Amino acid sequence: MNKTLLALATSALLAAGSATAADLQLLNLDNPGVGLNDTTPAAPVGGNPGTTKGAQATFVYEFAMKMWGSVLESKVPVKVYASFAPLTCTSTSGVLGSAGTNWLIRLTDGVRVRYYGSALADSLLGYDIVPDPDDPGDIASRFNGNLGNPGCLDGSGWYFGIDGNTPAGKINFLNVVMHEIGHGLGAQGFINKSTGALYNGYSDAYTKYAYDNELNKSFEDASMTNAMRAAAMRTPGRTVWTGPKVNAAANVILDGNFHESVLRVTAPAPLTGNYGFYGAAFGAPASAANFNGQWVVALDAADGAGPLTTDGCSAITNGAAVTGKIAIIDRGTCGFAVKVKNAQNAGAIGVVIANSSTGTWGSMGGADPTITIPSIIVQYADGANFKTNAPITGGMVDLPATKAGMDSAGRTRLYSPWIVATGSTFSHFDTTLHPDALMEPFDSPTVQAQYNVDLTPALFADIGWKLHQGGATFANCDTGTAASDAYGIVIGSNMAATSELCKDTNALRNNYVSCMYKYRDGLLADGLITQQQALKLNTCIKRQSDQYRR
């Protein structure tokens, strides 16, 4: 539960700037022998010199904090609680980590009061708003301590290297830490994901940029009801981001010519809109070309095959009404393929299966090579409305080609799945983004957060963070390589963090220099820096190495 505090600030204070790199500080909450304190021996891996599991995890965490510290500016240290705990997990899926602000602060810019996470609020005001010695953390983060054990993503485990060379089946801990700290720094909305209610009646720095592109309303619009926000957050593609920094970067970063189809009802009027669906493992895929027209309820006998007259488990009895139409059939008793085949035999051109409960739903399994018509399944509430209001008119609609993860107006999509995922809905970019982004809800092996954090710095800039301008620095030396550029490339931040790594793990000057030269040569070999940038990096390496003599 986030703790809240009211702090009134003037617009002048909110505009206050800083030229100081952010200092993120680790507050280890683990017990002895656990998580960050795990003494299990481990061989150094992927640039991580730690010799125990706990030391390696701590090293990665501190490396991530140095990375974000180089990207952002703040006069106030950001204190980060970290620990390992047994998070929700099964053999095939699980929560890798969770994080968010520890304190919520209400600030006013002179026009509107909004909530801010304490790290951002402290940065904007230039002082520690909650100097509580008993609870000093700005960000609270936890990571799955059971990962790879039986019953928790069996056979996986954390990869503690910082080089991005994650072995197959392992999870890149640096990516996950960068992602979770990103939530604590502000990639987090505090709206109720199920009801759409604003937190204590106030918006926040993140929700400020949320927009419903079906109603063409900001989430902060006075006419935007809780129900409207809730509907937008459970309709894929409908909730988007209006922040100019993110959208400018996304327009360059994301792939073009992305095509998507949606299920859309056009009549009767009360039901018009887009709806969630899953397809079937058999028959033709539903498309704009083969799945459009009038939907009617298919009837069959209530017999031993199925107890309902709407379950499609036996021959359809109202064939004349179904012929040439899309049949609506209830889920239950018999297999999906049986239902669809009976509808096909009655002359239907497609099938909508209405889910039988509010529980889990997904793609329809089954097999029957004689089925040629398309079929889909919709969630329980939607199916009930379709049956009550039948006949329905609608079908699949092809949306205009866009960038992968943006709407037709050039706004970046936020994650809004049909079934609300409390920990993921809204506070992430959508899974349709391509290339994958760091702040999507699921781990992606293509994300390389040691060098590229894509849209995340742009999101921070939109919500109010000041980004470090110019080259990343260490030893009071400008590397000549941007800490982060407009598109989330963070080579400079990686340089600064790696210098700290080489310095902290090498007591001798020559060892530090060798460590950094090896790193420099790797950047050159991978084409990540130019010869000119390498020369400037050499200057900073020399300046840092000179300090060994003092």
Side-chain angles (χ1 to χ4, degrees):
M1 179 69 70
N2 301 114
K3 307 165 189 77
T4 61
L5 182 75
L6 174 62
L8 295 179
T10 67
S11 57
L13 281 173
L14 285 173
S18 170
T20 305
D23 177 21
L24 277 68
Q25 302 176 357
L26 178 65
L27 302 180
N28 182 349
L29 299 185
D30 277 330
N31 293 323
V34 175
L36 297 170
N37 302 319
D38 188 342
T39 58
T40 303
V45 59
N48 189 328
T51 56
T52 66
K53 287 185 176 181
Q56 290 186 351
T58 301
F59 179 88
V60 175
Y61 211 105
E62 291 179 338
F63 190 87
M65 293 193 299
K66 290 184 178 77
M67 288 277 291
W68 280 133
S70 294
V71 170
L72 303 173
E73 291 187 354
S74 179
K75 295 177 181 177
V76 187
V78 178
K79 299 178 178 65
V80 186
Y81 289 137
S83 65
F84 279 76
L87 304 181
T88 302
C89 211
T90 69
S91 293
T92 57
S93 65
V95 176
L96 300 178
S98 64
T101 187
N102 188 44
W103 290 93
L104 272 175
I105 315 296
R106 288 210 308 263
L107 302 179
T108 176
D109 58 6
V111 177
R112 186 174 187 129
V113 175
R114 295 185 181 90
Y115 278 111
Y116 290 75
S118 60
L120 175 55
D122 288 353
S123 175
L124 290 169
L125 298 184
Y127 66 90
D128 189 354
I129 300 171
V130 192
D132 185 345
D134 296 323
D135 191 6
D138 296 294
I139 297 171
S141 65
R142 297 191 306 163
F143 299 88
N144 200 325
N146 284 341
L147 191 68
N149 293 334
C152 185
L153 290 169
D154 297 5
S156 66
W158 292 114
Y159 175 65
F160 292 123
I162 58 169
D163 58 357
N165 295 321
T166 310
K170 297 295 184 180
I171 306 296
N172 186 316
F173 189 58
L174 178 62
N175 283 355
V176 177
V177 174
M178 292 286 284
H179 174 106
E180 297 302 340
I181 293 178
H183 283 309
L185 291 169
Q188 181 181 27
F190 301 100
I191 194 169
N192 186 298
K193 312 305 188 299
S194 298
T195 67
L198 300 175
Y199 188 70
N200 289 340
Y202 293 95
S203 183
D204 56 75
Y206 180 94
T207 300
K208 173 183 177 180
Y209 292 103
Y211 189 84
D212 182 338
N213 64 9
E214 186 171 307
L215 297 180
N216 292 315
K217 293 179 185 289
S218 164
F219 272 34
E220 289 190 342
D221 192 297
S223 65
M224 192 75 164
T225 66
N226 292 349
M228 290 174 182
R229 282 187 288 262
M233 287 189 292
R234 62 172 181 266
T235 306
R238 182 170 163 180
T239 301
V240 293
W241 183 265
T242 59
K245 301 290 187 182
V246 164
N247 291 333
N251 191 52
V252 174
I253 293 172
L254 299 179
D255 293 341
N257 205 31
F258 172 69
H259 293 270
E260 185 179 23
S261 296
V262 298
L263 178 66
R264 180 172 297 166
V265 170
T266 55
L271 295 185
T272 57
N274 297 337
Y275 291 85
F277 72 95
Y278 287 102
F282 51 84
S287 69
N290 65 11
F291 200 88
N292 268 291
Q294 193 174 74
W295 309 0
V296 298
V297 176
L299 302 176
D300 69 319
D303 53 23
L308 303 178
T309 60
T310 54
D311 58 27
C313 290
S314 53
I316 302 302
T317 58
N318 62 334
V322 168
T323 300
K325 309 289 177 59
I326 294 172
I328 304 174
I329 297 175
D330 280 319
R331 180 180 184 175
T333 306
C334 59
F336 294 121
V338 173
K339 299 170 185 291
V340 176
K341 183 60 182 292
N342 284 334
Q344 178 175 292
N345 289 343
I349 61 171
V351 173
V352 172
I353 301 292
N355 204 6
S356 56
S357 72
T358 57
T360 303
W361 64 303
S363 299
M364 299 189 294
D368 186 336
T370 67
I371 295 176
T372 58
I373 64 173
S375 57
I376 62 172
I377 184 171
V378 298
Q379 57 187 323
Y380 177 78
D382 295 338
N385 280 335
F386 295 159
K387 289 184 295 180
T388 300
N389 291 278
I392 304 293
T393 302
M396 302 303 297
V397 175
D398 291 335
L399 299 179
T402 63
K403 294 279 187 173
M406 302 185 83
D407 69 4
S408 58
R411 296 168 296 217
T412 307
R413 289 169 55 160
L414 299 179
Y415 187 54
S416 49
W418 296 108
I419 301 297
V420 172
T422 304
S424 299
T425 289
F426 185 60
S427 290
H428 292 89
F429 289 123
D430 194 57
T431 54
T432 56
L433 270 68
H434 195 273
D436 293 332
L438 174 66
M439 296 310 297
E440 290 185 32
F442 305 108
D443 174 61
S444 170
T446 63
V447 171
Q448 296 283 305
Q450 74 277 13
Y451 294 142
N452 184 0
V453 291
D454 49 80
L455 302 178
T456 316
L459 186 151
F460 290 156
D462 277 338
I463 64 175
W465 277 101
K466 186 172 183 180
L467 305 186
H468 180 78
Q469 300 299 310
T473 61
F474 62 88
N476 294 317
C477 176
D478 188 336
T479 63
T481 301
S484 65
D485 67 14
Y487 312 115
I489 304 300
V490 287
I491 304 298
S493 293
N494 186 269
M495 286 180 179
T498 300
S499 177
E500 290 295 311
L501 177 163
C502 290
K503 184 178 67 173
D504 291 347
T505 57
N506 292 281
L508 300 177
R509 174 182 182 273
N510 287 344
N511 290 349
Y512 167 79
V513 173
S514 296
C515 179
M516 287 300 292
Y517 278 177
K518 180 179 180 181
Y519 168 71
R520 174 205 61 193
D521 293 345
L523 293 179
L524 279 168
D526 292 339
L528 296 172
I529 59 172
T530 65
Q531 287 289 345
Q532 185 177 9
Q533 288 172 315
L535 291 174
K536 290 187 176 181
L537 178 58
N538 286 347
T539 300
C540 295
I541 293 171
K542 183 178 184 304
R543 184 170 297 180
Q544 181 66 71
S545 67
D546 286 346
Q547 295 182 10
Y548 276 79
R549 302 173 184 172
R550 298 172 186 172

